[in-house]
Amino acid sequence: MRILVANDDGIYSPGIAALARVASDFGDVRVVAPDVERSSAGHAITASRPVRHKRTDIFNGVEAFRVDGTPADCVALGAHLWGHVDLVLSGINLGVNLGNAIWHSGTLAAAKQAALLGIRGIALSAHSPVQQGDFSGIEPWARRALEAILADDEPALVNVNLPPQPRGLRWTRQAVDRYNGRVVESEDPEGRQVFWFTVAPIDAPREGTDLWAFDAGWVSMTPLRLDLTDHEALAAAPDPARALR
Ligand code: MN
């Protein structure tokens, strides 16, 4: 199995090194990742200029390339260069991607780009204390989650979030009832107003959601789809010809 590994924290993140190690247990691995951090880049692609890649030998015997592009660029380029890819793994992100936060996530976008290309995509994110760079407690659980997901051919797109000291694996749905985006006003050293776009913890996420599972200590695995259509609204939508009369 050919496994392309990408992320949005950049190729020098300890999270992608951990994921490359885990991925090597499942097949042939190649790393293609942004040369700098592109967190919160969402599913942006680089269309106004060409993209370049450079070989980077930092992963013990694993072929790796750093790219001056977005996470989605890295997957598109990686799949193009390798010819055939069976699976794209993205992460392990330094910080969670839960609920409506996944709209901004570059980590998930890399997995979504795979799904758009007809390749299976799995995004993995971990709790922020992992920012210290120690993935020793997380790696076995990333491996377990991948074993559980890859045991079947479906689902094609999965968002995985790993809490500290997990108690097990859970399939979940995305928490959509609240958006935790928050604008925090501050001042720069010159006294000029600046704004931080950040997140605030939300209270009481609903049972069965990714946020709920993560808070309860479960590894959350959410199957996702690319179709954003509101099928109920489509079925109930009035005939537009009537409105024109
Ligand atoms: Mn990130």
Side-chain angles (χ1 to χ4, degrees):
M1 180 159 64
R2 282 188 175 184
I3 306 172
L4 182 67
V5 173
N7 75 349
D8 78 353
D9 289 336
I11 198 159
Y12 303 109
S13 166
I16 198 168
L19 187 53
R21 278 194 295 272
V22 171
S24 297
D25 295 345
F26 293 85
D28 299 328
V29 177
R30 188 183 279 195
V31 175
V32 182
D35 55 359
V36 294
E37 179 171 355
R38 302 300 298 260
S39 287
S40 299
H43 207 134
I45 57 164
T46 302
S48 58
R49 60 167 176 85
V51 169
R52 290 181 166 81
H53 74 308
K54 285 184 180 144
R55 191 177 288 272
T56 306
D57 292 324
I58 55 169
F59 299 93
N60 256 337
V62 171
E63 214 171 0
F65 300 90
R66 62 184 193 270
V67 177
D68 65 342
T70 65
D73 290 338
C74 291
V75 171
L77 181 62
H80 171 79
L81 291 174
W82 211 358
H84 171 82
V85 173
D86 300 294
L87 173 67
V88 170
L89 301 178
S90 175
I92 301 173
N93 191 59
L94 302 176
V96 293
N97 283 300
L98 295 161
N100 274 322
I102 68 175
W103 285 100
H104 314 295
S105 170
T107 306
L108 178 63
K112 274 194 292 164
Q113 182 62 36
L116 284 173
L117 296 169
I119 303 165
R120 206 166 185 198
I122 304 172
L124 299 102
S125 306
H127 65 106
S128 23
V130 162
Q131 282 179 2
Q132 311 307 322
D134 179 14
F135 280 81
S136 55
I138 284 298
E139 274 185 43
W141 283 100
R143 194 173 284 111
R144 255 169 254 184
L146 288 178
E147 278 164 1
I149 296 165
L150 298 175
D152 225 320
D153 292 339
E154 295 280 327
L157 178 61
V158 184
N159 184 36
V160 178
N161 282 273
L162 302 136
Q165 283 125 31
R167 51 200 272 211
L169 309 174
R170 279 274 182 127
W171 287 103
T172 59
R173 67 180 192 277
Q174 183 195 0
V176 293
D177 43 330
R178 294 275 295 273
Y179 175 60
N180 58 356
R182 193 162 69 113
V183 180
V184 178
E185 295 187 17
S186 185
E187 277 184 2
D188 74 5
E190 306 293 328
R192 291 168 299 213
Q193 207 173 19
V194 295
F195 304 91
W196 287 101
F197 294 100
T198 182
V199 294
I202 69 169
D203 38 52
R206 286 178 210 220
E207 188 170 341
T209 63
D210 53 359
L211 274 164
W212 169 84
F214 182 86
D215 284 354
W218 300 99
V219 174
S220 165
M221 309 184 296
T222 310
L224 298 172
R225 59 181 181 189
L226 297 174
D227 182 2
L228 297 178
T229 311
D230 184 338
H231 289 277
E232 261 174 55
L234 177 62
D239 179 1
R242 253 185 11 202
L244 293 175
R245 246 181 265 144

